[in-house]
Amino acid sequence: MNEEYERTDEVLETVEFTLTAPKAGTFITCKDADGFDQLPVPEITSECDKYFIDKTVVNGIERTEAYWKTYNTLEYYSDVKFEAGKSYTVFGKVKAKPGYVFNDPVTLIINGEEVPSEEVEDYSLEGDSFTFYYDLKII
């Protein structure tokens, strides 16, 4: 980063999202090794207009960079039915809008709960993106 870039971008120290839990009984499907066709896509809503869940494009098709994925093995959930009372891990890639960068470490809050710093990682060199993991309990 050059000095001018560092001086003009606003540093975001806290990021907050709401993650909507799918209904118990919802079935996760995924055949693609990279998770691109996984459904349903986790429903993550930004609480601020300065950042968002990033998107990726494969073969002209856009997809939100949010997946149901295990934290320990990094495998995408596939052929799994959400069960009430169990937790499932969501992976997401957060991107800052132009003019903003993230503090490293950033404080990430999901559903009013601070996410442990070891589950917030992979900050970009530009400081404008990072990834996170979050365990969501199905009710």
Side-chain angles (χ1 to χ4, degrees), residues 59-130:
N59 297 326
I61 300 169
E62 186 177 74
R63 182 204 161 86
T64 302
E65 287 266 53
Y67 306 92
W68 300 100
K69 190 174 179 181
T70 63
Y71 183 72
N72 293 335
T73 65
L74 303 180
E75 293 177 20
Y76 296 94
Y77 289 107
S78 180
D79 300 326
V80 172
K81 187 188 294 186
F82 289 112
E83 295 180 39
K86 286 194 172 185
S87 292
Y88 299 85
T89 305
V90 173
F91 162 88
K93 182 177 179 188
V94 181
K95 180 86 171 158
K97 289 193 175 176
Y100 300 94
V101 293
F102 297 112
N103 190 54
D104 181 0
V106 69
T107 299
L108 176 62
I109 298 170
I110 297 179
N111 295 349
E113 174 184 317
E114 187 171 336
V115 176
S117 60
E118 62 271 7
E119 295 174 16
V120 179
E121 54 193 28
D122 297 334
Y123 291 90
S124 65
L125 292 176
E126 298 81 17
D128 68 345
S129 68
F130 66 89

Side-chain angles (χ1 to χ4, degrees), residues 1 4 17-18 27 46 50 55-56 58 65 79 91 96 129:
M1 280 192 298
E4 181 180 338
F17 289 102
T18 298
F27 197 69
S46 175
K50 298 176 182 178
K55 296 188 182 294
T56 188
V58 175
E65 287 266 53
D79 300 326
F91 162 88
S129 68

